[in-house]
């Protein structure tokens, strides 16, 4: 400890009970307490709002710490620094003397430093016979070291609050974006609902967001926004489930009736009436309007979107049942959603040598889910296809001409799976269960 006595201020500065208490608290340093001065200074900067000090005052504290000769603050080596006003002003980035005195008073008032005035008010040291420091007068850093634990706790709390506030702002931004885009999509696709009311509610909530967001005023607004978003998602999902329940059965049944797994070029993957040697009628194509005839026309793209909407109506479970090989390429070796299937299709596309442009064109024409399903079918019958990229481009062109249906392709693979099953008694090999087993002739002349 520096001194067990009380130091009164020099000159006309009065003594107060608060100054006495701050001095005594600065003297109460636990034995063996040390801190790296620059790490402790960073904690002070972090806890600046909780310590009620300004950034200019921290500049002066930085200058005072630079006069302490050691990196470790310790009461065993003395904690008083005694720079002159000129030297302190230079290290404080040329701060004026009057400004310097004002910010020194702020540090003293905040309880980070204390004054140890000499009899004449000057800052100096008196050395002993061994050459060491016998007595020092100036500014004591003892309060800073005594409050090190408190300062570090305040800094940790402020850092945690800042990180939490940043996370809440990010959640609010994402939630606001989700609501706005979901409402816009619902209005564009004419989904029933009071979307104008939802938009007005969103606008009113956004007007309530304060300029200076805090952990006290932001959570209620975020909670209301998340409630609105959850309500929109639930409404859209319930509508989608009811739509799928009413359309999947009829669409799958129609595809089964029109399917023909036989093919002349790629076994099990050709579709339509061409598989029976009868070309698919193209009267509908001949009667197209001029706006729908061109490859790049708006009518053609509208027709493609309609076809894609029909093709991707097959359940994911049916696709995986027909094409089980694609599962090994999903995230973690599993496919639980359409997104997983599309990620696996990208991996398979690269493995089979299909160019990115060919796959992107297929996705734009057929739809991303249908293109991923087609890649799964190509992988399943990879041994029968010489060029996966050329085959995919051919299917894409046929889809643009409305000559491609996904149902027959899936049904062909499903029938192949049913016909060739892996039986345990066959040693893990595929067995043609559709073929009648041969009856061995009886021995000893039996018929």
């Amino acid at each position: 400890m520096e001194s067990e006595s009380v130091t009164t201020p020099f000159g006309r500065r009065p003594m107060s009970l608060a100054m006495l208490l701050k001095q005594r608290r600065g003297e109460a340093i636990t034995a063996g307490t040390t801190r790296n001065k620059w790490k402790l200074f960073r904690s002070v900067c972090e806890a600046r709002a909780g310590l009620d000090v300004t950034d200019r005052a921290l500049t002066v504290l930085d200058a005072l710490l630079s006069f302490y000769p050691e990196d470790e603050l310790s009461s065993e080596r003395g904690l008083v620094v005694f720079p002159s006003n000129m030297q302190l002003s230079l290290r404080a980035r040329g701060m004026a003397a009057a400004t310097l005195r004002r910010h020194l008073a702020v540090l003293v008032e905040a309880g980070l430093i204390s004054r140890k005035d000499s009899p004449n008010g000057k800052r100096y040291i008196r050395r002993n016979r061994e050459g060491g420091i016998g007595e020092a007068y100036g500014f004591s850093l003892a309060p800073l070291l005594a409050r090190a634990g408190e300062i570090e706790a305040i800094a940790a709390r402020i850092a945690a609050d800042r990180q939490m506030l940043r996370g809440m702002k990010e959640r609010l931004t994402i939630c606001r974006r989700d609501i706005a885009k979901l409402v816009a999509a619902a209005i564009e696709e004419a989904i029933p609902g009071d979307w104008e009311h939802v938009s007005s509610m969103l606008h009113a909530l956004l007007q309530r967001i304060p300029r200076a967001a805090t952990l006290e005023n932001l959570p209620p607004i975020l909670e209301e926004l998340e409630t609105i978003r959850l309500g929109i998602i639930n409404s859209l999902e319930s509508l989608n489930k009811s739509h799928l329940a009413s359309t999947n059965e009829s669409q799958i049944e129609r595809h089964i009736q029109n399917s023909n797994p036989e093919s002349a070029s790629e076994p099990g993957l050709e579709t339509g009436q061409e598989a029976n040697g009868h070309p698919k009628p193209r009267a509908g194509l001949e009667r197209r309007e001029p706006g729908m005839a061109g490859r790049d026309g708006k009518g053609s793209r509208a027709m493609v979107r309609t076809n894609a909407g029909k093709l991707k109506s097959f359940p994911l479970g049916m696709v995986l049942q027909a094409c089980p090989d694609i599962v090994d390429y999903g995230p973690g070796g599993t496919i639980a959603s359409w997104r997983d299937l599309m990620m696996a299709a990208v991996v398979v596309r690269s493995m089979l040598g299909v160019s990115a442009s060919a796959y992107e064109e297929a996705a734009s024409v057929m739809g991303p889910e249908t293109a991923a399903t087609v890649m799964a079918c190509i992988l399943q019958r990879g041994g029968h296809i010489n060029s996966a990229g050329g085959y995919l481009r051919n299917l894409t062109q046929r889809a643009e001409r409305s000559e491609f249906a996904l149902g027959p392709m899936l049904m062909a693979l499903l029938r192949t799976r049913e016909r060739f099953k892996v039986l345990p008694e066959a040693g893990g090999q595929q067995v043609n269960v559709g073929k009648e087993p041969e009856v061995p002739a009886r021995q000893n002349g039996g018929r």
Side-chain angles (χ1 to χ4, degrees):
M1 296 183 184
E2 295 298 323
S3 176
E4 295 295 340
S5 62
V6 176
T7 302
T8 57
F10 171 78
R12 291 179 296 179
R13 293 195 305 271
M15 184 66 180
S16 64
L17 181 60
M19 292 176 62
L20 175 62
L21 294 176
K22 289 177 181 179
Q23 282 189 25
R24 302 310 295 177
R25 185 170 60 176
E27 298 286 344
I29 301 176
T30 306
T33 301
T34 60
R35 289 292 191 280
N36 182 281
K37 62 180 182 181
W38 300 122
K39 290 183 179 179
L40 183 57
F41 177 71
R42 283 194 292 270
S43 298
V44 173
C45 294
E46 187 73 46
R48 179 172 69 88
L51 297 174
D52 197 21
V53 292
T54 62
D55 53 347
R56 300 295 300 276
L58 291 180
T59 301
V60 177
L61 180 60
D62 183 20
L64 287 174
L65 288 173
S66 68
F67 286 101
Y68 189 78
E70 306 291 337
D71 285 338
E72 295 289 327
L73 293 176
S74 174
S75 59
E76 304 298 329
R77 293 189 289 268
L79 292 169
V80 176
V81 292
F82 37 89
S84 65
N85 284 341
M86 182 180 294
Q87 293 298 321
L88 185 58
S89 175
L90 289 176
R91 295 201 185 182
R93 283 68 173 169
M95 189 177 292
T99 307
L100 192 65
R101 287 193 296 269
R102 185 171 67 251
H103 291 302
L104 283 170
V106 171
L107 293 175
V108 172
E109 184 66 25
L112 297 179
I113 64 173
S114 63
R115 298 178 186 271
K116 189 175 180 182
D117 290 343
S118 65
N120 60 0
K122 301 294 184 179
R123 302 176 201 133
Y124 61 88
I125 60 170
R126 183 179 292 113
R127 298 188 179 275
N128 53 27
R129 293 183 178 181
E130 291 78 13
I133 299 177
E135 193 69 35
Y137 297 100
F139 298 102
S140 174
L141 301 174
L144 182 63
L145 182 59
R147 299 182 61 188
E150 176 191 354
I151 292 172
E152 290 167 350
I154 295 174
R157 176 178 56 81
I158 292 178
D161 290 347
R162 184 175 62 250
Q163 184 176 4
M164 185 180 301
L165 182 61
R166 185 188 302 117
M168 294 182 66
K169 288 181 178 179
E170 292 174 354
R171 287 169 53 195
L172 189 144
T173 300
I174 294 174
C175 190
R176 177 175 59 183
R177 181 187 66 197
D178 291 347
I179 294 174
K181 293 200 173 184
L182 287 173
V183 170
I187 294 175
E188 182 180 356
E189 299 185 16
I191 297 176
D194 192 2
W195 305 118
E196 296 297 334
H197 177 65
V198 176
S199 298
S200 62
M201 289 176 57
L202 174 62
H203 181 71
L205 282 175
L206 296 182
Q207 294 296 323
R208 288 170 48 192
I209 299 177
R211 288 184 177 273
T214 64
L215 290 176
E216 288 75 24
N217 55 28
L218 205 57
I221 300 175
L222 178 60
E223 184 178 355
E224 293 186 41
L225 285 174
E226 289 181 339
T227 302
I228 294 176
R229 180 179 63 176
L230 182 61
I232 295 174
I233 293 175
N234 290 337
S235 300
L236 296 179
E237 286 184 348
S238 61
L239 182 65
N240 185 46
K241 288 180 181 178
S242 62
H243 175 71
L244 290 177
S246 62
T247 57
N248 278 349
E249 182 177 356
S250 61
Q251 288 184 0
I252 294 175
E253 183 177 352
R254 183 176 67 251
H255 286 304
I256 293 175
Q257 292 173 354
N258 294 337
S259 63
N260 193 327
E262 302 298 331
S263 173
S265 59
E266 304 293 349
L269 292 183
E270 290 296 331
T271 62
Q273 299 179 5
E274 296 173 357
N276 291 331
H278 303 289
K280 184 177 179 179
R282 302 184 60 181
L285 295 178
E286 296 172 359
R287 291 193 298 269
R288 283 183 192 160
E289 296 179 3
M292 299 179 62
R295 177 183 178 90
D296 299 327
K298 296 182 180 178
S300 177
R301 290 301 176 186
M303 178 192 66
V304 168
R305 284 196 297 271
T306 303
N307 291 337
K310 294 180 180 179
L311 290 172
K312 69 181 180 183
S313 62
F314 291 96
L316 180 62
M318 180 181 179
V319 175
L320 298 181
Q321 184 180 1
C323 311
D325 292 352
I326 193 70
V327 177
D328 296 335
Y329 301 93
T334 59
I335 293 179
S337 63
W338 283 107
R339 182 174 181 270
D340 294 344
L341 180 64
M342 288 186 280
M343 293 173 64
V346 173
V347 177
V348 170
R349 187 272 305 167
S350 177
M351 183 187 69
L352 296 180
V354 178
S355 64
S357 60
Y359 185 73
E360 290 175 1
E361 183 180 2
S364 65
V365 172
M366 303 178 186
E369 293 90 348
T370 304
T373 304
V374 170
M375 285 305 307
C377 295
I378 294 176
L379 174 67
Q380 194 67 30
R381 297 304 302 271
H384 301 273
I385 299 175
N386 295 328
S387 174
Y391 188 71
L392 181 63
R393 288 189 183 276
N394 179 262
L395 293 181
T396 304
Q397 295 172 1
R398 292 173 58 185
E400 282 189 317
R401 299 193 302 267
S402 191
E403 297 177 355
F404 171 68
L406 185 59
M409 178 182 290
L410 289 176
M411 296 310 302
L413 291 173
L414 283 173
R415 286 181 177 143
T416 303
R417 292 278 300 165
E418 289 295 327
R419 184 180 179 187
F420 294 94
K421 292 184 177 179
V422 178
L423 300 180
E425 58 270 18
Q429 301 200 356
Q430 290 186 346
V431 176
N432 188 346
V433 297
K435 183 179 180 181
E436 293 293 335
E438 295 181 0
V439 179
R442 294 184 180 180
Q443 295 181 0
N444 300 327
R447 290 184 297 173

